[in-house]
Amino acid sequence: MDMRAPANANAVTPRNRRRLPVGGWELALTGLLAAVVVGFGAAAPGFYTGPASLLGLTENFLPFGLVALGLSLVILTGGIDLSVGAVASLSAVLAAQLWSRFGVDIWAAAAVGVALGGVLGLVNAGVILRLGIEPLIATLGTSFLYGSAAVAAAGAEPPSGFPGGFTALGTGTVDGVLPASLAGLVPIQLVVFAAFAVLFSALVARSPFGRVLVMVGYSPDAARYSGIRTGRVLVTAYAVSGAMASLAGLVLASYYDAVRPDMGDVLLLTAITMVVLGGVSIFGGEGTVAGVVVSVLVLGFLRQGMLIAGFSDMVTTMLTGAILLASIAVKNLFNRRGTGLANQIWAMIRRPEPPRANPS
Amino acid sequence: AESGTPDTAKRIKVAMVPKLVGLSVFKANEDGAKAEAAKLNIDFLYTGPVTASAQGQVDAFNSLIARKFDVITTTSNNPTQLAPSLMRAMKAGIKVVAYDSDVAPAARDFFIQNTAYPAFGKALVESVIKYAGPNAKIAILSSTPDATIQNEWIGAVKTYLAATYPKVEIVATEYGQSSPSQSLTAGLNILQAHPDVTGIIAPDGAAVVGAAAAIEKLGKTGKVFTTGASNPDAVRQYVKSGVIKETPLWDEVKEGQLVMYVARLAANGALKDNDTFTAPGLGTYEVKDKVIVFSEPLIFDASNIDQYKF
Amino acid sequence: MPGLYAAQGIRKSYGTVQVLKGVSLDLKPGRMVTIMGENGAGKSTLFKILAGQVPPSGGTLSLDGAPLALASPSAAHARGIYLVPQEPALLPELSVAETMFVGALPTRRGPLGRVDWTAMRARARAALDALELPIAVDRPARTLSIAQQQQVECAKALLRGCRIILFDEPTSPLTSHEVEHLFSIIRRLRADGCTLSFISHRMDEVLEISDEVAVLRDGLLVDVVDRPSFDRTRLLSQMVGRPMKAVPRRSVSNARDEVALEVRGLSDGARFHDVGFSLRRGEVLGLAGLVGAGRTEIAETVFGIRPAAAGEVRLGGETVTGLDCHAMIRKGLVYVPEDRARHGAVLPMTITENVTSGLLERVRRRAGLLSARDETRISASAVRDFRVRCAGLDQTLRELSGGNQQKVVFAKWMTTGPRVAILDEPTRGVDVGAKEEIYEMIDAMARDGMALLVISSESEELVRLCDRILSVYEGRIVAELSGAGITPAAVARSYLTAAAPSGGVAA
Amino acid sequence: MSAAAARSPAASRPSWRERRELVLVAVTAASAGVVGLVNPGFLTFENLRFVALNSVVLSIVALGQTLVIAMRGIDLSVAPLMGLSAMVCGLLAQSHGLPLWGAVGIALALGLALGTLNGVLVAALNIPPIITTLGTYSLFGGLTFLYSDGTQVDQVPPAYAAFGNAGPLGLPVPTPVLVLVLVTAACWFALNHSRFGRAVLAVGNNAAAAYNAGLRVTAIRIQVYALSGLLACFSGLVFVCYTGSATVTTGTGDHVELQSIAVALVGGTLIAGGRANVVGTVLASLFLSTVLTALVFLQVPPIWYSAGEGLMILVAVRGGTRRAGGTA
Ligand SMILES: Nc1ncnc2c1ncn2[C@@H]1O[C@H](COP(=O)(O)OP(=O)(O)OP(=O)(O)O)[C@@H](O)[C@H]1O
Ligand SMILES: Nc1ncnc2c1ncn2[C@@H]1O[C@H](COP(=O)(O)OP(=O)(O)OP(=O)(O)O)[C@@H](O)[C@H]1O
Ligand SMILES: [Mg+2]
Ligand SMILES: [Mg+2]
């Protein structure tokens, strides 16, 4: 470790060594994604029957991705949001009821739903900041409240059968806007997800908000002493997480052409897995949206591929758990600071040190 | 359609997708279906989610579409949520046969109803009121507030009660979330909070077991009676001990057989929306507006329960 | 007397970084050996190896001539070797007595192995008494001040029967008075025949307490000197690897007439009361006092990160009382905190990100996003102006040595162009070479007309830097020194005389 | 030696610890009293006996969770472990007539083995606890399914049912409640008066400092996760004995993992580790059981039960279990 320059060091302006938005973890995940897609394409008949079918598969898992994007902001701050599932259900149910009971236009109702998700996120932040309750337990508590409210709002016969334009959100493809050769190829969900992925990626990597978000995640104290209003940052993160969860709930509503008070329950654990596998540290600060996006695709295609290959739901879930554990273990073994076990072993193999005499 | 053996020349792939894979009643369907499939030259697959989630069923449907199955048979967690995916299957030329719990009519070719709702409602009422008396105060212990089939049955129970036993009063409605433990707790709570209740109608497999266990634990055997919709294995001990005098269901194994038979007919295109057919070893069935009623309720009691193992 | 602890050719690498390159050192009973060296020279690493906390990559240890392999800290304790860590090992929710016994709780006889709380308390009491430390054994450990934590650590070493005691920078968070108390403990241990070793950046202390000084540079032991041949300049030059001169008192004042910061009757209702002073442009004002005197609280309240109960703060004539620190920074008042790792820097973030984090608005935007080029420009000029030694602007702060981290934190605030800067312990844990550079930067900023408030527990430092010094005792300003009145002795006396009438200083 | 001197040093601190227990006892008694006024049936011995009995399974899991949280960890895999043990013991008993002592042995062995797996992943491979147990949550859930092959437990032999419901030697207090008292006493003793328990707290306070003080942190971590697994699996056995049933969703379906965390925190254990309250955990679980039963007696519509649970968590945790400056 010799970073001490000679005495006239002030003449030197050190340059940046690298400024890629992605690191080794993202690249490793991308390799894994390629392996998953190619592997299932070759080995599982029905997985790849043309580009439309492959892209069409994404419709089955992108709502998880939308939740994961929002949740990654919260986890970057070092918090957690266990209420995303309940928020998704509650806002989808309320939006559907607005449409079916009160005749509100479905898109207006959907907009109200997303806004409501933001408000529920604000409530989470309020409970965390005002009542001083840890995020884990605070959002656990609110998830019970929101879940109850969703059941109450749904009634015995929750609405279904939305207008065709709305169901296209979950199951339609983008036509007209794109070149004719792409007609029927690109799911609307994929476009929505891609747009948010780019937006969130830019937000976290290069926007002032993203910078303070990461800073709060690494060190809330240092952020406060730097004049950052950390409360506002947290409030924004939880509100965005809530709004993204609602959006996912509405996409699910459109995909199923129906709402249910428990429809969001499945989102939570998978979305957390996606964020964590994407390289976002559960302790905050570290991680990129690009990693989360790739991990959404890896886990999504993996699950669809395994189901098509004939594995049962349970085996697929077990394998997802195993992959999560194995990849984080591997990541720990080769950690960034070079102190991981594997790095040390590697350094020992590569460069045996001869003993040196003490010059004194 | 013609009676007798259907055309089994072409081997077809049929999947059975239950609400969730870990319940004995669905396992009984599977047993029947598997046996029948072997006779009908069917490649049979039993798959589904581990928890009762529509998402899990849709995942299963999607993979079956990709694998080009000929028929999907399913009992749905939710009538509306599964519809888009099943309609996609139908568009891809796959026949869809719902059984047990229906999906939206537009999203399936045929529905095999366990028993007619009014008949089952009547059976539920009779198997309790016969013992609790026509002035009884009773409670309902269901699965979840929005379970379609349970709500249909509860509706039928109420209609039948109003017409036949107007003095019977329903004092509480609780939900056990299809979980035996939550059903047990709910059952205990009902009996403690309403000591005058002498009958519990629990039209759900987990609920009736929970209610029966609660009655037994409180030592109210012979004073409070319960009934529900459960496979005989799960309630055998309670039927023998007298907590449950009678409990209606249907023969799940046979139902599984019928599901496969209908799947074969549907794949062959040999069944019309309104039709009759005779399945060897099962009986003659009428198709009415795509709906086939499987059987009258089958009442289990201490005398016959040991004939059924599922 | 047994206790000769020797290290032979110790090497240590972290990944590809070689921290120790073959160090040999003898620690003898009844002697105090001090290790000096720049930040990142490998001093703490050497101690951790000696105490079994980190395995060496090569080399051997021996105790009284017999080879020694230490698998864990508990193995070291068993051999009587104890390390008082750089950051004391606080277990906040446990009692003082229990923290002292962690890992070695006494149990009563019987099948249950019940912990013997009575014995534990009594023995903890006895160990503290032996060092004349008036600390209640039942207090939760989180209520201990840093000085008390150090003292408890010494008692803990004795309690475990450890006679080879290593102190890693025990004095850096202490004031001169507390250092004296610690040294009296150390002298007693030495007289008892304990084998002692110590790391410090403070030259005066080192010369006062040591029997032998070893200088470590870049992982190699470059010099070992016995007490008779101690020589300040030689030690300094050996450490830095270039000739150095000793620290003089500053001569010129840059103070102008214009008042930059004015504080009137400020109280937080608990830790300090009725604090008032004014600070002129170009002036360097010092705050002296014991640890816990409330200087940090005063600074933080002025900065707006801590609420005030009463009083007024005026910045360049404008009343800014009650503004939060976000607003203060934008009005031109900045605060460089004393706890660099927790409050000053974000160690896992890059130099660039740390430099711009003080005032992100100054980075140009493109479509609402921060311009990478502009950010690099700001950070590159900061690194140049503040002479930060680094391999690149996107190095994380964690990879820099302490002194360079401190310079980055400095740069973060000084490049926002403040009118007033509060510097809290600006050279804590910073080695002599970097210290001198920081002093020069402070001088330069004062020359440019910035008003500076410097909080320091090292009298020499205040004497070196300040035009005027306020002495704080128990939350009140008790004395003011200026001009020729400023000497190290006068500074220490100024708050100790305030302490004397009320019956001695809190331990 | 005086009684005061024999107490753990923790007890001599400002008495929030005692307060937390008193608060829980008070609010539980108060809610029971209020409900009793509205519906006297609530205060019968029978009903209270079931309120207690209903809390046993969760309490045992939550005791393990308390130890883990005290060490600054978290264990989400308790829910599938509980289900796995209920399924394995129940199926073996139902179809192979496994004797009760055999089931106890199997449950404990299973818990020890799988809990140790969690511990090794956390302590030796350095995977954050929440991620480790999120991963093993899926794995253990899968094992349950693979083992049961889609069947369920409907009935257990009389010896099991007797163990789960009746009192030993004709006592009116059911065996599970007595077992819970024993387990609680053991955990209380371990945490407050044994070297092991104090070491767990030291690790929770500051793992690096604990290591430097000579504690074998890795081993302690593994042991605590093993204990948590053990208690989760034991609670699965109690569950199957008490309810006579087990399905693939036992444990996970009721979100026992979240409930156990909630009652541990409500009981006064710090999420940041270092401070735990074993008795508080059990009282909080009892409080939860009381509230949920009370809602039925008060004829609150069932859809609001989980809202009641959520409110209870927020209100009770609000009672000040936060270490100043500590963030999760
Ligand atoms: N766990 C570790 N992993 C990687 N590098 C490390 C680790 N610990 C120390 N280092 C590096 O080893 C070098 C020596 O560190 P050490 O703590 O021994 O320095 P020091 O002489 O005590 O400095 P200071 O005066 O700042 O305390 C530093 O460059 C540091 O970054
Ligand atoms: N008596 C005490 N008991 C416990 N903690 C204390 C005590 N006195 C001070 N502290 C803590 O020690 C730290 C330093 O105290 P404070 O900031 O008030 O003094 P200061 O004069 O700024 O000292 P410093 O020399 O460290 O700058 C603070 O974090 C404070 O909370
Ligand atoms: Mg050091
Ligand atoms: Mg201070």
Side-chain angles (χ1 to χ4, degrees):
Chain A
M1 157 121 177
D2 191 40
M3 60 184 63
R4 290 200 155 262
N8 61 348
N10 50 354
V12 182
T13 302
R15 270 193 241 115
N16 284 359
R17 284 174 306 180
R18 55 158 188 85
R19 196 67 248 185
L20 266 179
V22 293
W25 187 245
E26 287 81 358
L27 292 178
L29 280 178
T30 311
L32 190 59
L33 175 62
V36 164
V37 172
V38 172
F40 280 117
F47 182 80
Y48 185 84
T49 56
S53 83
L54 187 67
L55 294 181
L57 283 181
T58 60
E59 284 177 355
N60 305 327
F61 60 79
L62 285 182
F64 293 87
L66 292 174
V67 176
L69 286 179
L71 194 58
S72 59
L73 294 195
V74 168
I75 297 185
L76 276 171
T77 68
I80 186 97
D81 185 354
L82 298 185
S83 74
V84 285
V87 169
S89 305
L90 177 55
S91 28
V93 165
L94 282 178
Q97 292 289 26
L98 275 183
W99 165 76
S100 96
R101 295 251 185 101
F102 302 97
V104 177
D105 175 72
I106 186 70
W107 292 108
V112 172
V114 173
L116 176 80
V119 173
L120 296 176
L122 288 181
V123 173
N124 286 338
V127 171
I128 293 166
L129 293 170
R130 283 293 162 84
L131 302 187
I133 299 176
E134 296 80 9
L136 183 83
I137 201 79
T139 55
L140 174 63
T142 57
S143 80
F144 284 132
L145 294 175
Y146 300 161
S148 254
V151 173
E157 268 185 53
S160 63
F162 301 115
F166 182 69
T167 54
L169 175 63
T171 52
T173 51
V174 179
D175 301 312
V177 191
L178 298 173
S181 60
L182 292 179
L185 202 58
V186 185
I188 294 177
Q189 273 202 43
L190 187 60
V191 174
V192 171
F193 178 74
F196 277 104
V198 170
L199 181 73
F200 275 60
S201 187
L203 196 72
V204 170
R206 292 253 33 113
S207 78
F209 171 72
R211 184 62 57 77
V212 298
L213 184 85
V214 170
M215 208 164 156
V216 169
Y218 274 129
S219 173
D221 283 336
R224 221 160 49 84
Y225 276 80
S226 300
I228 289 165
R229 291 169 169 159
T230 53
R232 293 186 190 187
V233 176
L234 292 185
V235 165
T236 313
Y238 282 91
V240 170
S241 170
M244 289 304 285
S246 304
L247 181 64
L250 288 158
V251 172
L252 279 181
S254 151
Y255 177 80
Y256 290 129
D257 197 10
V259 293
R260 288 261 305 178
D262 62 353
M263 67 195 294
D265 290 0
V266 291
L267 294 169
L268 176 66
L269 289 188
T270 308
I272 294 180
T273 308
M274 285 168 167
V275 175
V276 170
L277 182 69
V280 176
S281 162
I282 202 86
F283 304 115
E286 194 174 316
T288 64
V289 171
V292 175
V293 170
V294 183
S295 125
V296 165
L297 297 176
V298 168
L299 288 177
F301 277 119
L302 182 77
R303 179 174 171 80
Q304 297 301 317
M306 287 194 66
L307 290 170
I308 289 174
F311 290 98
S312 72
D313 179 36
M314 199 65 241
V315 174
T316 307
T317 310
M318 281 178 84
L319 197 83
T320 310
I323 285 180
L324 175 71
L325 287 175
S327 50
I328 303 291
V330 167
K331 191 180 168 196
N332 281 356
L333 290 179
F334 293 93
N335 74 357
R336 280 214 309 199
R337 287 207 281 147
T339 53
L341 191 59
N343 281 322
Q344 290 187 25
I345 294 170
W346 176 237
M348 253 156 70
I349 297 168
R350 208 176 35 176
R351 193 168 44 80
E353 300 162 32
R356 277 172 66 173
N358 204 347
S360 69
Chain B
E2 80 283 13
S3 48
T5 18
D7 175 12
T8 59
K10 182 172 167 263
R11 190 160 179 83
I12 55 170
K13 294 199 280 186
V14 178
M16 183 173 232
V17 183
K19 292 184 188 181
L20 73 167
V21 284
L23 276 189
S24 299
V25 277
F26 298 131
K27 188 87 183 140
N29 292 148
E30 184 204 354
D31 291 342
K34 215 188 231 167
E36 191 72 8
K39 291 187 220 153
L40 295 173
N41 196 21
I42 289 174
D43 254 345
F44 175 74
L45 175 74
Y46 182 70
T47 187
V50 182
T51 53
S53 89
Q55 168 83 30
Q57 284 189 300
V58 168
D59 272 346
F61 297 153
N62 289 338
S63 74
L64 296 170
I65 297 169
R67 293 157 76 185
K68 300 200 165 26
F69 266 65
D70 296 284
V71 185
I72 292 173
T73 67
T74 186
T75 166
S76 78
N77 276 307
N78 175 264
T80 50
Q81 246 182 314
L82 302 183
S85 177
L86 288 175
M87 285 198 259
R88 220 175 311 142
M90 290 167 76
K91 216 185 281 169
I94 298 171
K95 298 285 176 195
V96 176
V97 177
Y99 64 97
D100 185 54
S101 193
D102 200 5
V103 297
R108 42 87 172 151
D109 293 287
F110 297 100
F111 171 49
I112 300 170
Q113 190 177 38
N114 306 316
T115 64
Y117 295 135
F120 203 75
K122 175 180 173 203
L124 285 171
V125 171
E126 291 295 344
S127 52
V128 158
I129 299 304
K130 220 188 273 177
Y131 306 94
N135 300 322
K137 288 195 164 47
I138 65 167
I140 289 175
L141 178 55
S142 183
S143 57
T144 57
D146 58 349
T148 323
I149 196 165
Q150 269 75 21
N151 285 344
E152 292 284 358
W153 285 337
I154 293 169
V157 162
K158 288 183 178 159
T159 313
Y160 184 74
L161 278 179
T164 322
Y165 301 108
K167 291 204 176 128
V168 171
E169 192 189 339
I170 299 176
V171 295
T173 304
E174 292 286 326
Y175 299 95
Q177 313 296 332
S178 294
S179 146
S181 56
Q182 289 190 32
S183 302
L184 168 62
T185 311
L188 286 170
N189 287 343
I190 289 174
L191 293 174
Q192 299 277 6
H194 306 278
D196 48 354
V197 161
T198 52
I200 300 177
I201 292 179
D204 166 66
V208 67
V209 172
I215 292 168
E216 197 173 76
K217 281 185 202 302
L218 285 169
K220 294 201 169 184
T221 307
K223 296 188 199 100
V224 183
F225 305 91
T226 186
T227 187
S230 168
N231 56 316
D233 283 350
V235 293
R236 196 180 313 277
Q237 53 172 328
Y238 299 113
V239 172
K240 292 199 168 157
S241 68
V243 178
I244 298 174
K245 290 288 185 188
E246 298 176 8
T247 177
L249 196 75
W250 51 89
D251 189 327
E252 299 273 7
V253 180
K254 268 194 186 170
E255 188 185 29
Q257 290 176 283
L258 179 67
V259 171
M260 276 312 107
Y261 194 85
V262 171
R264 179 82 234 187
L265 291 183
N268 293 353
L271 207 54
K272 293 193 282 290
D273 291 357
N274 290 289
D275 205 344
T276 54
F277 65 93
T278 304
L282 295 172
T284 301
Y285 293 92
E286 194 183 349
V287 189
K288 215 177 187 178
D289 267 346
K290 305 187 185 179
V291 176
I292 302 153
V293 175
F294 166 60
S295 78
E296 283 295 301
L298 167 60
I299 314 278
F300 301 118
D301 57 28
S303 66
N304 71 355
I305 193 159
D306 279 339
Q307 294 159 28
Y308 299 90
K309 300 271 194 257
F310 63 89
Chain C
M1 192 183 300
L4 176 70
Y5 191 24
Q8 270 299 322
I10 296 293
R11 286 177 291 110
K12 178 69 192 176
S13 307
Y14 284 111
T16 56
V17 183
Q18 218 179 336
V19 177
L20 294 177
K21 304 169 179 166
V23 175
S24 302
L25 186 69
D26 284 353
L27 305 180
K28 301 175 197 89
R31 280 175 75 81
M32 166 60 97
V33 179
T34 301
I35 319 277
M36 295 197 78
E38 289 185 290
N39 295 123
K43 305 178 296 292
S44 299
T45 308
L46 178 62
F47 268 27
K48 284 181 187 156
I49 289 172
L50 291 175
Q53 289 181 8
V54 167
S57 318
T60 54
L61 300 175
S62 67
L63 184 58
D64 293 324
L68 185 66
L70 298 174
S72 67
S74 47
H77 296 170
R79 310 304 299 265
I81 303 160
Y82 191 85
L83 170 63
V84 178
Q86 189 161 2
E87 312 282 327
L90 188 67
L91 300 167
E93 299 294 330
L94 302 184
S95 71
V96 168
E98 194 174 350
T99 24
M100 293 172 68
F101 276 91
V102 167
L105 287 171
T107 52
R108 292 203 252 164
R109 273 189 293 178
L112 288 178
R114 194 173 189 282
V115 170
D116 189 344
W117 299 116
T118 321
M120 181 197 81
R121 253 196 221 94
R123 286 170 55 190
R125 182 69 273 148
L128 290 171
D129 284 347
L131 297 177
E132 289 174 19
L133 297 172
I135 299 173
V137 294
D138 285 340
R139 269 170 74 176
R142 76 185 118 85
T143 63
L144 293 180
S145 71
I146 293 181
Q148 288 171 324
Q149 290 172 33
Q150 298 280 11
Q151 294 158 355
V152 168
E153 283 289 333
C154 296
K156 195 169 155 186
L158 290 185
L159 195 78
R160 291 173 191 230
C162 293
R163 312 232 346 130
I164 302 173
I165 306 178
L166 314 171
F167 297 87
D168 190 350
E169 285 196 48
T171 57
S172 57
L174 305 186
T175 53
S176 348
H177 181 76
E178 288 158 336
V179 169
E180 266 319 308
H181 192 169
L182 180 67
F183 281 4
S184 69
I185 295 174
I186 288 180
R187 287 201 186 89
R188 189 174 331 186
L189 295 172
R190 179 166 58 187
D192 268 8
C194 288
T195 306
L196 301 169
S197 185
F198 167 69
I199 296 176
S200 173
H201 290 298
R202 297 185 184 172
M203 187 65 71
D204 298 281
E205 291 171 8
V206 170
L207 300 182
E208 181 188 340
I209 194 85
S210 316
D211 299 303
E212 209 174 290
V213 179
V215 178
L216 200 62
R217 188 169 78 225
D218 283 340
L220 285 171
L221 215 47
V222 292
D223 202 1
V224 181
V225 199
D226 264 347
R227 179 174 261 287
S229 45
F230 281 174
D231 172 2
R232 248 169 221 265
T233 4
R234 171 172 164 198
L235 285 177
L236 281 180
S237 310
Q238 287 288 11
M239 261 187 268
V240 194
R242 62 191 147 92
M244 288 286 294
K245 54 186 190 311
V247 177
R249 157 95 180 107
R250 76 179 297 190
S251 45
V252 282
S253 169
N254 301 301
R256 308 176 190 182
D257 289 340
E258 198 183 328
V259 171
L261 174 71
E262 193 161 14
V263 175
R264 288 279 156 261
L266 197 66
S267 302
D268 72 344
R271 296 293 304 275
F272 63 90
H273 313 277
D274 195 25
V275 168
F277 58 87
S278 67
L279 175 60
R280 288 174 295 154
R281 289 194 61 197
E283 187 181 27
V284 183
L285 175 64
L287 279 189
L290 298 171
V291 166
R295 295 167 300 168
T296 296
E297 278 85 350
I298 294 171
E300 289 183 350
T301 308
V302 171
F303 183 50
I305 205 161
R306 196 182 268 275
E312 189 185 20
V313 179
R314 293 166 71 83
L315 195 61
E318 181 188 1
T319 304
V320 293
T321 324
L323 294 186
D324 69 353
C325 61
H326 177 88
M328 282 294 184
I329 292 165
R330 279 139 192 90
K331 299 253 178 219
L333 174 78
V334 298
Y335 170 65
V336 179
E338 64 177 326
D339 191 339
R340 182 171 60 228
R342 263 185 53 204
H343 299 149
V346 184
L347 298 183
M349 289 177 87
T350 65
I351 294 176
T352 304
E353 287 164 338
N354 269 285
V355 166
T356 53
S357 67
L359 192 62
L360 267 176
E361 285 97 310
R362 65 190 141 146
V363 181
R364 259 201 293 278
R365 312 287 157 101
R366 272 221 201 110
L369 302 183
L370 299 167
S371 151
R373 176 184 296 185
D374 194 43
E375 212 178 353
T376 309
R377 181 187 59 76
I378 294 173
S379 140
S381 79
V383 161
R384 204 178 324 107
D385 294 349
F386 289 83
R387 288 177 247 161
V388 179
R389 273 80 179 234
C390 59
L393 298 178
D394 58 358
Q395 246 189 326
T396 60
L397 241 60
R398 207 199 294 286
E399 296 169 55
L400 299 188
S401 72
N404 283 306
Q405 286 177 6
Q406 184 68 1
K407 288 191 216 162
V408 171
V409 177
F410 247 74
K412 158 178 166 182
W413 290 120
M414 298 311 157
T415 56
T416 62
R419 289 185 281 173
V420 180
I422 307 177
L423 313 178
D424 198 347
E425 306 286 1
T427 64
R428 168 172 297 175
V430 168
D431 68 60
V432 276
K435 223 175 209 173
E436 186 51 38
E437 285 181 347
I438 289 176
Y439 292 160
E440 281 164 18
M441 285 170 202
I442 292 174
D443 286 343
M445 290 181 296
R447 264 198 304 279
D448 289 349
M450 194 185 296
L452 290 135
L453 183 65
V454 177
I455 300 173
S456 175
S457 302
E458 279 184 77
S459 307
E460 338 263 301
E461 179 162 298
L462 292 175
V463 170
R464 158 75 179 78
L465 286 173
C466 301
D467 300 317
R468 199 150 57 91
I469 294 176
L470 300 176
S471 205
V472 181
Y473 180 74
E474 292 197 341
R476 292 178 197 279
I477 294 180
V478 293
E480 176 169 344
L481 305 174
S482 59
I486 299 182
T487 62
V491 172
R493 210 168 38 237
S494 65
Y495 49 80
L496 289 180
T497 45
S502 63
V505 189
Chain D
M1 175 187 68
S2 74
R7 280 187 309 173
S8 117
S12 57
R13 265 192 252 136
S15 60
W16 77 268
R17 188 180 277 265
E18 285 98 328
R19 272 215 317 275
R20 172 52 60 114
E21 284 139 13
L22 287 181
V23 166
L24 282 168
V25 168
V27 292
T28 308
S31 1
V34 170
V35 182
L37 285 180
V38 178
N39 189 336
F42 190 85
L43 292 178
T44 59
F45 176 75
E46 265 296 83
N47 187 51
L48 295 180
R49 181 171 167 269
F50 278 107
V51 169
L53 203 46
N54 279 334
S55 73
V56 170
V57 170
L58 178 61
S59 293
I60 296 178
V61 183
L63 283 173
Q65 190 74 264
T66 302
L67 293 178
V68 175
I69 296 177
M71 198 186 56
R72 210 179 201 299
I74 203 151
D75 189 352
L76 299 178
S77 72
V78 288
L81 270 181
M82 177 191 145
L84 177 62
S85 148
M87 181 63 83
V88 170
C89 296
L91 278 185
L92 286 176
Q94 180 172 280
S95 46
H96 297 88
L98 175 78
L100 184 58
W101 58 264
V104 172
I106 285 176
L108 297 186
L110 204 61
L112 214 51
L114 298 180
T116 305
L117 174 66
N118 277 331
V120 168
L121 289 169
V122 170
L125 287 175
N126 221 358
I127 306 177
I130 192 166
I131 298 176
T132 299
T133 54
L134 196 61
T136 53
Y137 187 97
S138 313
L139 287 179
F140 299 160
L143 286 184
T144 311
F145 176 71
L146 292 181
Y147 182 80
S148 70
D149 189 28
T151 55
Q152 68 190 48
V153 177
D154 300 314
Q155 192 180 347
V156 289
Y160 287 66
F163 172 75
N165 293 285
L169 315 168
L171 285 177
V173 185
T175 316
V177 174
L178 292 177
V179 167
L180 175 64
V181 170
L182 281 181
V183 175
T184 310
C187 288
W188 175 84
F189 179 84
L191 209 54
N192 293 303
H193 293 288
S194 81
R195 282 184 162 205
F196 171 73
R198 302 315 291 181
V200 169
L201 287 178
V203 172
N205 267 294
N206 184 340
Y211 176 77
N212 290 336
L215 291 174
R216 292 152 25 119
V217 174
T218 307
I220 292 167
R221 285 215 170 107
I222 294 177
Q223 285 162 13
V224 169
Y225 279 98
L227 259 181
S228 171
L230 188 97
L231 288 173
C233 282
F234 184 67
S235 78
L237 176 64
V238 173
F239 176 90
V240 80
C241 291
Y242 173 53
T243 65
S245 68
T247 66
V248 251
T249 54
T250 295
T252 51
D254 302 343
H255 288 296
V256 165
E257 75 284 3
L258 298 181
Q259 285 190 330
S260 65
I261 295 169
V263 295
L265 299 188
V266 170
T269 298
L270 281 187
I271 185 92
R275 192 198 284 169
N277 188 340
V278 166
V279 177
T281 297
V282 175
L283 290 175
S285 169
L286 195 64
F287 178 47
L288 179 65
S289 173
T290 307
V291 168
L292 290 180
T293 308
L295 291 174
V296 179
F297 277 75
L298 297 175
Q299 311 215 359
V300 173
I303 47 173
W304 294 111
Y305 291 176
S306 82
E309 199 171 332
L311 266 184
M312 182 204 114
I313 291 172
L314 292 182
V315 171
V317 173
R318 174 69 187 124
T321 53
R322 214 171 167 225
R323 179 151 67 206
T327 47

